[in-house]
Amino acid sequence: AALMAGNGIVVKVSPYASWSAAGYFGAALRECLKAVGAPEDLVQIVHGYGAAGAALVSGGIDKCIFVGSPEVGKIVMETASKTLTPVVLELGGKDPFVVCDDCSASDLDRISQIALRGVFQSMGQNCAGPERFFVGSTVYEGFLSRIKPLADQLVVGASNEDVKVDCGAVTMGSLSRDRLQGLVDDAVSKGARILSQGKIPPQELVGTSFFPPTVLVDVPTTARIAQEEIFGPIMCVFAPTSSDEDAIAKANACSFGLSSCAFAASTARAKAVASRLKAGMSSVNDLEGTTYLSQSLPFGGVGESGFDKFAGPEGLRGLCLARSCCEDKLGFARTSIPPPLHYPSKGKGQDFAMGLVELFYGDGVAGKVRGIVKLIKAG
């Protein structure tokens, strides 16, 4: 969108993504620019830590789009405020996944696979991905009975040459692995149960960047994992919901609000629930990530998930310098000031102005007639 709007781009990548950005991502960008005859240096990739990002934000750019954590997003916003640089913040989320109690057995078969795909694809490292599951009481056990045997079979490992591997590594190595384990330990200490923890990685991978896919059930709202973004392969199923109202209230009791989804046998019911979820995006009877697949839709959230949009008409317009411009529709027309309003004042300007106001905005015909009379007298 930035290129289509006539901009050059500088991409500051995470230091954990420097290798892939310089190689795969950078090479792909250069080939794309070359294919359309654009200058290959129109997109620049910058590597470094926080100081490099701060220099970029404060260095005279026209706009900053930041994707990351709320903590760093606030720092970016503070830095940008010193030069009044506009920012778009996409700060992750804790998307709710609501399952209504009218779902049939076949519905649950389908929904369970969608749920697993949403949580464990890319090891849960998606900004728009389901992290909080709210399931109706009458279908709660049926949902869990489908999730557990599937999650138990998930294989963790390096997928370079093994097409049967389900889950690969997490980013940021031990930093992520230890943080995820801390969230699980805290939840269990407060009453959550581990329903499944997949297959332990091969011995040679223990202690590296691999974390077993985990399903937690009966997660209490007091647990850290109920409010902190997971960004990892952990499914959190909360206590059964008693009604749609209960599910909506619990889903909205969170500071994040990026995306969401709702499932029901009745499309109207799913739509009614989805429309009341506090989020910038929502999907009805589908995974919330589908909103990202359609680049004609704006992408962005509310609350701790940030503000403003990218993609869609809103995102494209946001990367332009929007200007208002007026000109006479008739090219030969020329604006002139009516004599009663000429400087120096002749004492009739106020009456003339009041006549104009009543002519254009007076109530009914009588009000407009009064305006015309005032204009004639003032003229």
Side-chain angles (χ1 to χ4, degrees):
L3 292 176
M4 293 298 177
N7 303 285
I9 309 173
V10 179
V11 182
K12 161 63 177 70
V13 299
S14 164
Y16 291 96
S18 291
W19 178 84
S20 57
Y24 172 77
F25 181 61
L29 278 175
R30 287 189 294 272
E31 288 300 316
C32 289
L33 292 168
K34 181 180 178 181
V36 297
E40 291 186 32
D41 59 355
L42 196 56
V43 178
Q44 297 289 329
I45 299 177
V46 172
H47 304 272
Y49 295 98
L56 181 60
V57 173
S58 60
I61 60 176
D62 294 310
K63 189 163 190 174
C64 173
I65 300 177
F66 174 77
V67 179
S69 70
E71 292 75 21
V72 179
K74 292 171 184 176
I75 296 173
V76 169
M77 189 174 178
E78 180 181 4
T79 302
S81 70
K82 297 173 183 178
T83 53
L84 294 181
T85 300
V87 297
V88 177
L89 298 179
E90 196 278 272
L91 307 178
K94 288 196 67 63
D95 299 354
F97 188 114
V98 177
V99 182
C100 298
D101 58 14
D102 67 340
C103 290
S104 65
S106 60
D107 289 331
L108 293 177
D109 290 340
R110 175 178 56 84
I111 293 169
S112 60
Q113 283 289 351
I114 294 174
L116 290 166
R117 177 60 62 180
V119 173
F120 298 119
Q121 180 166 295
S122 300
M123 289 299 281
Q125 298 164 129
N126 308 291
C127 51
E131 292 203 359
R132 297 177 297 135
F133 288 77
F134 302 98
V135 184
S137 57
T138 60
V139 295
Y140 187 79
E141 293 301 329
F143 179 76
L144 295 185
S145 68
R146 287 163 172 80
I147 292 293
K148 176 174 171 51
L150 296 172
D152 286 345
Q153 299 177 60
L154 295 178
V155 177
V156 181
S159 60
N160 304 48
E161 298 178 356
D162 189 349
V163 295
K164 293 295 184 67
V165 168
D166 297 294
C167 300
V170 294
T171 60
M172 297 183 282
S174 60
L175 184 66
S176 283
R177 190 190 67 237
D178 295 345
R179 180 183 61 82
L180 293 171
Q181 189 61 56
L183 290 175
V184 171
D185 293 343
D186 174 76
V188 171
S189 71
K190 294 174 180 174
R193 295 184 295 111
I194 296 178
L195 182 70
S196 173
Q197 201 157 37
K199 293 186 177 180
I200 303 301
Q203 186 60 41
E204 64 269 20
L205 299 180
V206 173
T208 58
S209 297
F210 293 84
F211 189 87
T214 303
V215 179
L216 293 175
V217 298
D218 299 331
V219 177
T221 57
T222 55
R224 288 170 48 207
I225 205 168
Q227 295 295 330
E228 296 180 22
E229 183 178 26
I230 301 171
F231 207 69
I234 304 173
M235 176 183 285
C236 288
V237 186
F238 290 75
T241 55
S242 58
S243 64
D244 291 354
E245 290 292 332
D246 184 38
I248 292 167
K250 290 176 177 176
N252 288 341
C254 181
S255 59
F256 287 95
L258 184 57
S259 193
S260 59
C261 57
F263 294 80
S266 163
T267 300
R269 182 175 179 178
K271 186 175 181 179
V273 171
S275 67
R276 295 177 58 194
L277 298 176
K278 186 186 72 175
M281 302 167 286
S282 195
S283 292
V284 176
N285 279 330
D286 206 341
L287 194 63
E288 69 269 33
T290 54
T291 56
Y292 181 70
L293 293 176
S294 176
Q295 291 296 292
S296 61
L297 292 175
F299 188 95
V302 297
E304 287 283 300
S305 291
F307 54 80
D308 211 342
K309 305 287 185 180
F310 57 83
E314 294 84 354
L316 183 61
R317 187 174 290 115
L319 291 165
C320 300
L321 175 58
R323 301 170 60 220
S324 299
C325 183
C326 294
E327 64 174 306
D328 290 316
K329 192 170 184 179
L330 301 175
F332 60 82
R334 293 295 182 270
T335 298
S336 61
I337 301 297
L341 298 177
H342 281 186
Y343 286 120
S345 174
K346 303 298 188 299
K348 295 184 177 182
Q350 181 174 341
D351 290 338
F352 188 87
M354 290 299 296
L356 281 176
V357 171
E358 290 196 41
L359 173 62
F360 289 111
Y361 304 107
D363 289 335
V365 175
K368 297 184 183 303
V369 170
R370 284 195 300 270
I372 293 173
V373 170
K374 287 184 178 181
L375 286 173
I376 292 173
K377 288 182 177 179

